[in-house]
Amino acid sequence: MDILKMGQEILKTQPFSQLVGAELTGFEPGQAVLELELRDALKQQHGFAHGGVLAYLADNAMTYAGGSVLGNVLTQEMKINYARPAIGDRLIARAEAISSGKRQAVTRCDIFVLNDGEEKLCAAAQGTILSVEK
């Protein structure tokens, strides 16, 4: 099984990911791309993506990126900066492991909103992913 198919199978076992409709569209060592359709149920009262949805995408995409180099992992910590309201049709989270050792990886993620065919950066995150292997 290739790494993308394996990652997609893992995503299917995550009830929250299924609830929001996340799709793993890219996955290779050190990198992951997670996307979701920005439907009304994921928006806040002003009509743009809820910050929690953006944080979820960053967290999960960075965990995939870190897990691709470490194995079984959890997020140890993360920080997110919201750059602009996410108004559009689709959210795209692109994460990469920027440094990794035996037990942890430092990752970053940019989240874009796709609106009328144009991508705009709406959030940026950084996190530490920790191996849970013994």
Side-chain angles (χ1 to χ4, degrees):
M1 178 181 297
D2 70 30
I3 188 172
L4 177 59
K5 291 259 188 241
M6 179 190 69
Q8 290 169 334
E9 290 301 314
I10 292 168
L11 192 68
K12 287 179 186 177
T13 69
Q14 299 174 359
F16 188 77
S17 294
Q18 295 306 300
L19 177 70
V20 298
E23 303 169 57
L24 185 67
T25 59
F27 190 40
E28 58 188 71
Q31 298 184 342
V33 180
L34 202 60
E35 300 185 33
L36 63 78
E37 178 186 338
L38 186 51
R39 59 189 198 281
D40 287 341
L42 303 177
K43 297 177 182 179
Q44 48 85 291
Q45 72 274 16
H46 297 293
F48 48 85
H50 191 283
V53 174
L54 299 175
Y56 154 77
L57 279 173
D59 177 35
N60 217 19
M62 290 189 299
T63 302
Y64 268 101
S68 72
V69 295
L70 293 174
N72 192 16
V73 294
L74 295 171
T75 302
Q76 184 174 19
E77 62 82 30
M78 72 170 252
K79 176 198 186 311
I80 188 165
N81 291 92
Y82 300 101
R84 72 166 31 91
I87 300 169
D89 307 311
R90 190 161 191 82
L91 295 171
I92 305 165
R94 294 188 181 102
E96 66 178 323
I98 57 175
S99 176
S100 63
K102 290 182 181 181
R103 299 264 311 137
Q104 70 180 26
V106 176
T107 59
R108 69 174 162 218
C109 180
D110 290 332
I111 303 172
F112 299 87
V113 63
L114 185 63
N115 191 15
D116 293 328
E118 184 181 355
E119 288 185 16
K120 289 188 178 180
L121 181 71
C122 58
Q126 181 170 309
T128 304
I129 309 304
L130 182 65
S131 171
V132 294
E133 299 295 330
K134 294 185 181 190

